Amino acid sequence: MTHDHFLNPRFPTIWHGGDYNPEQWPESTWDEDMRLMRKAHFHVATIGVFSWAKLEPEEDRYDFSWMDSVIERLGSADRYFILSTPSAAPPAWMSRKYPEILRTGPDRVRRLHGNRVNYSLWSPVYREKTQEIARRLAERYGSHSRLLAWHVSNEFGGEDYGSHSIAAFRRWLREKYGSLDALNAAYWTAFWSHVYSDWEEIDAPGHPYGETAIQGLAVDWQRFTTDSTLDFMLNEASPLREISPGVPVTTNLMGTYPGINYRRFTPHLDFTSWDSYPAFGQVLTDPNCWVTVAFKHDLTRCLSKTRRWMMMECSPSSSNWYKSMALKKPGMHRFEMLQAIAHGADGVQYFQWRQSRGSQEQLHGAVVNHGTTDNGRVFREVQQVGEEIDDTMAGVAGSRVEAEVAVIYDWEAKWSLDAACGPIQGDKKYEPVCVEHYRAFWEAGIPVDVIGLNDDLSQYKLVVAPMAYAIPQGFAERVSRFVEDGGTFVTTYLSGWTDENSLVFEEGFLGPLRKVLGIWSEEIDALDANTQSQIRVSGLSIDGLFEVREFCEQIHLTTAKALGSYQSDFYAGNPALTVNPFGAGKAYYVASRNETAFTGKFLQSLAREAGIERVVEKLPVGVTAQRRVGDGQEWIFLLNATPNPHVVTTKDGAIIELDPWDVAVRSVVTTETHLTAL
């Protein structure tokens, strides 16, 4: 493998480590930390994330001596480090002297000092200060032989309604549309007499304080927030690029966090990373929880143009900002780390190394917990993972996940769908529906890329685009070429309703997708919670009746063939599932929101028809399989996401027994196969 395959060739293996905050502790603990890190095979420490008050205790007085000492100790202990810029939490002296750096909420009230990510994205003072601290860090440590990556800030997010931001929003709109006439046309402002006659009349939208009736404005505000955050990050990262151009730059994303379109960020990152906390809203013992995590892993991987990524944070035990602090049961932490590696991660890390004695996250899980050193269950499990990574995973780093299937998840499609005043109010469940379609392949052990509406489709055999509500220019043309060339395309109800400005296409729903799908859409019925319906499917290997909930779209055939029909209401007998042969491929349309059993059987049947290979032919429920491929070698991961033991038979007849939350890896070199029981 070439150096380009690794996160950083200085340490060309799987990175095992996490956030280290020595400034919270007396120096007397640092040598003990080094001893414990060596024992835990904890090779990479991320430092400086929330260290600004320690690095610059007062304006223009910098103190790097403590960080020098920490870095010297890490090097002496044969550890590496990732160095963060500290902009996520400005020091109190700065907020007091320059209150304009603080964020303004949607109520147009400036926030007080505290918390984190509480800064104005467009404050000239804060941009100057964040760039200066980044420059000083780069000048001092940018050429250090143990520096593996720059970690820019921490978990960017949130909107800023301050005067600097509103002025920047108007500039952003002027640059995008060029004229008020173009903006008014895109926003359909003639409705309710909302026509703008001056740029200064435009303000940020948002209930209950701002305009709520213009969908295009709402989506543009989220695009602007994305671009503002990106511009802030690039300002902060510029001295890092200038002074240490050979050191990769990343920032920790948050999976499917809805407020930022991460695809705008990733061209500017050398590899992607994200913070995984799977129990947020889900139950750790439920396999559905780990399906969602896998989806976000594959999304993060595919955000990177190089497909290089790492899991920057996870908790080895529990998280104190959950509604309840559910512990990871024995084996579950190990499953979580190896699951990330199975989906292409070349780094797995924790928040944090040593549990804080006080403040917000004093009860958040850590490697070294209150009252323990190396004598706790969590430490021993972290140590076990570190040993396994060192003993068996060195060759995995730099290998890749190859997928013949893509599921589309697109932030701007979600924003447009959420902004729509119908067919139901509020959440239309875009993300859960995308995950449900992904789950069909996860259950079958079929690797998946999670891509966006603007991404290339040509490398796949099967592309699934659930609820692609607002489609950008060029998407329909790329779908048509993909299908003409032999690809299989699937989309669903509420797809192709509007353009990128949330305007319904002049020709109606589905717009430019009508030809490739061979149908047109007339209307949609939103079912209440007490209404039950069914579709009957025939002509596929999944013949039968399936339950319908929430949405029944009324479509009409032009060149497509019906494979399923509604069984009740005034549209009984009308098509609910269609296929349209188009060139050398096929385009399918699912007009109703159906039970999970339908989605799994339907998509798995299409995968078989498309000749898509499964990693393992037959898997128990809750067990999946992933594959990573390197130069002349591949690694097959068998992952049991359930609290029950299971047995898997591989394609070559090997019988693998999996304990609850267990993982086994088969490495294959040319014709030689051997099992590594991790």
Side-chain angles (χ1 to χ4, degrees):
M1 295 178 188
T2 68
H3 286 178
D4 293 339
H5 288 124
F6 302 110
L7 298 177
N8 188 328
R10 286 182 179 175
F11 193 45
T13 188
I14 302 293
W15 298 0
H16 182 237
D19 277 35
Y20 179 41
N21 300 289
E23 68 272 21
Q24 297 180 18
W25 297 91
E27 191 169 350
S28 58
T29 67
W30 297 355
D31 289 330
E32 173 69 355
D33 286 334
M34 298 305 111
R35 181 187 74 82
L36 293 172
M37 285 182 187
R38 288 193 298 267
K39 186 169 184 178
H41 296 250
F42 186 102
H43 292 291
V44 183
T46 298
I47 57 176
V49 178
F50 299 113
S51 302
W52 201 335
K54 185 77 170 177
L55 293 168
E56 191 180 4
E58 59 185 61
E59 188 170 22
D60 296 330
R61 182 172 73 82
Y62 296 91
D63 179 9
F64 296 103
S65 59
W66 68 273
M67 186 171 278
D68 291 345
S69 181
V70 169
I71 289 173
E72 181 181 354
R73 281 175 165 85
L74 288 168
S76 297
D78 197 23
R79 309 297 99 176
Y80 291 83
F81 67 97
I82 296 170
L83 185 53
S84 178
T85 57
S87 66
W93 64 257
M94 189 182 299
S95 299
R96 181 183 181 189
K97 184 173 183 179
Y98 304 104
E100 65 267 32
I101 74 167
L102 296 172
R103 186 161 293 195
T104 298
D107 55 3
R108 305 311 196 262
V109 175
R110 182 184 291 160
R111 300 314 188 220
L112 301 177
H113 175 80
N115 297 307
R116 63 181 192 180
V117 195
N118 184 27
Y119 50 78
S120 167
L121 289 164
W122 286 100
S123 163
V125 172
Y126 200 59
R127 287 188 170 220
E128 177 185 342
K129 293 294 186 182
T130 55
Q131 192 173 88
E132 179 61 23
I133 189 70
R135 179 173 297 280
R136 289 178 179 266
L137 288 169
E139 289 172 345
R140 194 171 191 94
Y141 304 112
S143 60
H144 198 288
S145 61
R146 292 276 165 170
L147 175 62
L148 292 182
W150 290 108
H151 179 315
V152 183
S153 199
N154 182 75
E155 294 184 340
F156 286 115
E159 300 165 309
D160 178 24
Y161 293 82
S163 58
H164 289 300
S165 292
I166 301 303
F169 181 46
R170 292 167 182 152
R171 293 193 301 271
W172 185 92
L173 290 172
R174 187 190 295 267
E175 182 176 343
K176 177 178 179 179
Y177 291 103
S179 70
L180 283 169
D181 286 344
L183 178 141
N184 282 312
Y187 287 176
W188 208 256
T189 55
F191 184 76
W192 282 358
S193 192
H194 284 182
V195 176
Y196 296 108
S197 57
D198 191 287
W199 294 101
E200 295 300 310
E201 295 166 3
I202 304 173
D203 209 331
H207 181 77
Y209 305 103
E211 174 69 80
T212 61
I214 301 176
Q215 295 97 318
L217 178 67
V219 175
D220 268 348
W221 173 252
Q222 291 181 285
R223 291 177 177 131
F224 164 75
T225 296
T226 291
D227 287 353
S228 298
T229 311
L230 171 60
D231 195 76
F232 181 90
M233 185 191 79
L234 293 177
N235 174 77
E236 188 173 7
S238 61
L240 313 179
R241 295 288 194 192
E242 172 194 343
I243 296 167
S244 59
V247 179
V249 170
T250 191
T251 190
N252 51 338
L253 310 176
M254 295 180 285
T256 52
Y257 170 71
I260 294 176
N261 179 1
Y262 287 146
R263 290 193 177 89
R264 295 280 291 153
F265 275 57
T266 49
H268 307 281
L269 302 175
D270 295 299
F271 60 83
T272 50
S273 57
W274 85 287
D275 297 347
S276 176
Y277 293 99
F280 187 68
Q282 293 187 291
V283 179
L284 289 167
T285 53
D286 184 350
N288 287 319
C289 171
W290 300 105
V291 175
T292 302
V293 173
F295 177 87
K296 294 175 182 179
H297 286 339
D298 288 335
L299 170 64
T300 304
R301 185 186 76 248
C302 295
L303 290 174
S304 171
K305 298 304 180 185
T306 62
R307 297 299 200 258
R308 293 180 298 170
W309 76 282
M310 67 179 293
M311 185 167 65
M312 184 66 77
E313 289 184 23
C314 74
S315 170
S317 55
S318 64
S319 298
N320 75 322
W321 38 265
Y322 296 156
K323 188 174 292 186
S324 61
M325 289 179 58
L327 290 174
K328 290 185 170 73
K329 299 182 185 299
M332 194 177 284
H333 156 68
R334 176 176 166 273
F335 173 91
E336 180 175 23
M337 305 303 267
L338 296 182
Q339 182 192 37
I341 294 171
H343 286 265
D346 278 350
V348 286
Q349 300 204 146
Y350 312 97
F351 181 84
Q352 59 179 324
W353 166 253
R354 185 181 285 273
Q355 208 166 18
S356 302
R357 286 189 62 202
S359 200
Q360 175 68 28
E361 293 177 313
Q362 68 181 134
L363 300 181
H364 193 291
V367 179
V368 180
N369 292 297
H370 299 309
T372 74
T373 53
D374 54 357
N375 59 341
R377 174 182 71 90
V378 173
F379 185 94
R380 291 193 297 271
E381 291 190 2
V382 169
Q383 179 182 3
Q384 178 191 11
V385 169
E387 290 172 349
E388 292 173 351
I389 286 173
D390 281 355
D391 292 344
T392 64
M393 292 286 172
V396 176
S399 62
R400 60 194 180 275
V401 175
E402 293 184 341
E404 297 177 308
V405 174
V407 172
I408 290 179
Y409 176 90
D410 193 271
W411 274 271
E412 296 199 5
K414 173 178 167 51
W415 294 340
S416 299
L417 187 60
D418 288 348
C421 298
I424 61 172
Q425 299 300 315
D427 183 16
K428 281 84 170 176
K429 301 180 182 177
Y430 177 74
E431 181 181 334
V433 168
C434 289
V435 173
E436 181 174 303
H437 285 73
Y438 172 91
R439 180 193 177 102
F441 305 108
W442 184 93
E443 289 178 335
I446 296 173
V448 178
D449 282 352
V450 180
I451 65 173
L453 288 169
N454 287 304
D455 287 336
D456 179 38
L457 309 179
S458 60
Q459 62 186 295
Y460 304 105
K461 292 181 178 180
L462 172 58
V463 173
V464 184
M467 300 175 70
Y469 181 78
I471 58 174
Q473 290 185 6
F475 176 69
E477 290 76 13
R478 286 185 289 111
V479 168
S480 295
R481 286 195 301 272
F482 169 72
V483 179
E484 281 182 322
D485 291 341
T488 300
F489 177 72
V490 180
T491 192
T492 74
Y493 55 92
L494 289 174
S495 289
W497 278 37
T498 76
D499 64 13
E500 62 269 27
N501 293 317
S502 295
L503 291 181
V504 174
F505 290 106
E506 287 190 20
E507 62 267 49
F509 303 144
L510 291 177
L513 290 172
R514 287 184 172 197
K515 184 177 180 181
V516 69
L517 293 170
I519 59 174
W520 64 278
S521 174
E522 182 179 8
E523 56 185 349
I524 194 167
D525 193 11
L527 309 181
D528 63 45
N530 298 318
T531 302
Q532 296 182 350
S533 187
Q534 289 180 318
I535 61 169
R536 179 178 293 280
V537 178
S538 59
L540 288 173
S541 59
I542 59 167
D543 290 5
L545 287 170
F546 295 94
E547 181 184 339
V548 172
R549 57 185 186 274
E550 297 186 69
F551 295 122
C552 296
E553 192 168 355
Q554 308 310 303
I555 60 174
H556 303 276
L557 306 177
T558 52
T559 58
K561 173 186 176 183
L563 298 174
S565 59
Y566 294 113
Q567 297 299 292
S568 60
D569 219 311
F570 67 90
Y571 37 83
N574 288 359
L577 173 65
T578 64
V579 59
N580 189 46
F582 192 83
K586 294 179 180 178
Y588 291 84
Y589 194 77
V590 182
S592 53
R593 179 171 285 177
N594 305 316
E595 62 177 293
T596 300
F598 165 82
T599 304
K601 292 177 180 179
F602 172 59
L603 293 179
Q604 289 171 21
S605 72
L606 296 189
R608 285 193 298 270
E609 184 181 89
I612 293 167
E613 182 185 4
R614 300 183 181 210
V615 177
V616 174
E617 284 298 333
K618 188 174 182 180
L619 292 165
V621 175
V623 177
T624 190
Q626 277 289 119
R627 178 191 291 116
R628 289 186 64 162
V629 180
D631 295 338
Q633 189 170 5
E634 69 178 26
W635 293 264
I636 294 174
F637 293 76
L638 305 174
L639 303 105
N640 179 11
T642 79
N644 305 308
H646 288 287
V647 176
V648 176
T649 302
T650 64
K651 288 182 178 179
D652 59 359
I655 298 175
I656 312 300
E657 296 182 0
L658 295 171
D659 292 331
W661 302 296
D662 197 4
V663 180
V665 179
R666 290 175 60 80
S667 59
V668 181
V669 182
T670 60
T671 59
E672 179 184 355
T673 302
H674 64 275
L675 174 67
T676 303
L678 297 183

